[in-house]
Amino acid sequence: KAYTFVAYYADEACKTPVQWPIQEQEEDVYLYAKYITGKWTVLDSSSDVRQMINQSGSSSARFYLACDLDCSTLTVSPMAKFACELQGNGFKIKGLTVNRANNDTKKTSIFGQITETAIINNVTFEDLTFKCNFNQNPDMQDYYYLFNSLSASAKIENVTISGSMLMYNYDRDDVLLTNV
């Protein structure tokens, strides 16, 4: 059976992550290593969130959110599809920006097509921004905030999402839609 290392913790319940470096003390210091069953990619930085987005189309990819993540400096492209598993463990991904390129002419959204293999569980996406840029009048039927399609077999439980959808017309310098 495969196991994945998550992190070191200062308590046996694995709730308090170890703060490095550990200060020298007179008493023994105990560290607790947390492992989870299976092969996972542990998300503990914004670059890990980018990796998840890049691999989101793989039904065999599994992601384990290990802490709250500030992604306010991260801008990514929309996903074509979300077929993987994301276990959020009650943590949040905050400040992520998804930017749709002007030359993208197909239906678009943040998560794309959420497939039958998708699992999204126990996570908050806070201040999630979806920017759509275009030069000409858009076909509003091609723009969706969260997903283009959702399989009835997908498992989405205890997920909270807040944010904005911004549509920019480069020819007019104005915002057409905001605060979805």
Side-chain angles (χ1 to χ4, degrees):
K1 214 173 210 185
Y3 293 92
T4 300
F5 172 75
V6 175
Y8 288 108
Y9 292 87
D11 60 317
E12 195 170 353
C14 295
K15 299 292 182 195
T16 308
V18 170
Q19 300 299 313
W20 301 98
I22 296 175
Q23 300 299 317
E24 191 172 318
Q25 301 175 11
E26 302 242 345
E27 306 170 359
D28 290 340
V29 175
Y30 292 93
L31 301 179
Y32 300 89
K34 180 175 183 176
Y35 286 85
I36 52 177
T37 304
K39 184 178 178 188
W40 294 84
T41 298
V42 176
L43 306 177
D44 60 9
S45 71
S46 62
S47 63
D48 294 334
V49 172
R50 180 183 300 281
Q51 179 183 355
M52 177 187 70
I53 291 166
N54 290 340
Q55 295 178 357
S56 64
S58 170
S59 61
S60 64
R62 299 172 79 196
F63 299 94
Y64 186 93
L65 190 57
C67 58
D68 289 336
L69 293 179
D70 179 359
C71 294
S72 58
T73 61
L74 182 61
T75 299
V76 297
S77 296
M79 296 173 240
K81 69 179 180 177
F82 193 92
C84 61
E85 179 175 355
L86 170 59
Q87 289 297 329
N89 303 299
F91 294 113
K92 78 175 72 165
I93 296 173
K94 181 179 180 181
L96 179 65
T97 297
V98 179
N99 192 17
R100 179 192 181 273
N102 183 39
N103 59 356
D104 188 354
T105 58
K106 61 186 176 290
K107 289 185 178 183
T108 189
S109 62
I110 293 171
F111 290 98
Q113 299 172 356
I114 298 182
T115 71
E116 66 279 352
T117 59
I119 299 171
I120 307 173
N121 191 14
N122 203 18
V123 63
T124 297
F125 292 92
E126 184 177 290
D127 195 22
L128 180 61
T129 302
F130 185 36
K131 292 182 178 179
C132 301
N133 306 301
F134 50 87
N135 287 334
Q136 300 171 7
N137 290 332
D139 181 354
M140 293 309 228
Q141 296 179 25
D142 290 341
Y143 295 84
Y144 304 86
Y145 181 62
L146 290 177
F147 52 86
N148 306 351
S149 64
L150 173 63
S151 170
S153 302
K155 295 176 180 71
I156 301 174
E157 298 176 342
N158 198 23
V159 176
T160 303
I161 299 173
S162 66
S164 303
M165 181 174 183
L166 307 172
M167 299 183 78
Y168 293 98
N169 184 330
Y170 286 130
D171 294 335
R172 294 179 29 195
D173 281 340
D174 60 353
V175 176
L176 299 180
L177 175 66
T178 185
N179 294 327
V180 173

